[in-house]
Amino acid sequence: MNAFRIIGLLLIFAGILSLALGRVSFTKSTHQIKIGPVELAVKEKQDIELPVWAGIGAIVVGGVLVVMGGRKR
């Protein structure tokens, strides 16, 4: 397998995962206060919506790379 096929397969996998999940959640620490031995941290949960067009685009581009990577020159 050459690099184009591997990248293409990764893009196809990422596109399918993007369409299946629809959003990604993560926790972000926003404020931190230290007063002597006392610490206060605020953690905020954030969601990122993954656009459908990005998932479809990744699948299409990945498919093109897999096909083009398999051709002999």
Side-chain angles (χ1 to χ4, degrees):
M1 274 190 152
N2 59 13
F4 284 121
R5 290 187 105 178
I6 293 171
I7 293 170
L9 290 173
L10 289 175
L11 279 173
I12 291 171
F13 178 73
I16 291 171
L17 195 63
S18 169
L19 291 175
L21 293 177
R23 77 175 63 189
V24 176
S25 300
F26 64 94
T27 304
K28 179 180 175 183
S29 181
T30 56
H31 302 287
Q32 189 171 13
I33 299 172
K34 289 183 181 179
I35 302 174
V38 178
E39 291 184 25
L40 176 67
V42 177
K43 294 186 180 180
E44 197 176 316
K45 185 177 179 183
Q46 294 183 342
D47 292 331
I48 297 177
E49 296 288 330
L50 300 173
V52 174
W53 60 266
I56 294 171
I59 293 171
V60 169
V61 171
V64 168
L65 286 176
V66 167
V67 169
M68 297 303 280
R71 289 190 176 177
K72 302 264 181 183
R73 295 175 196 191

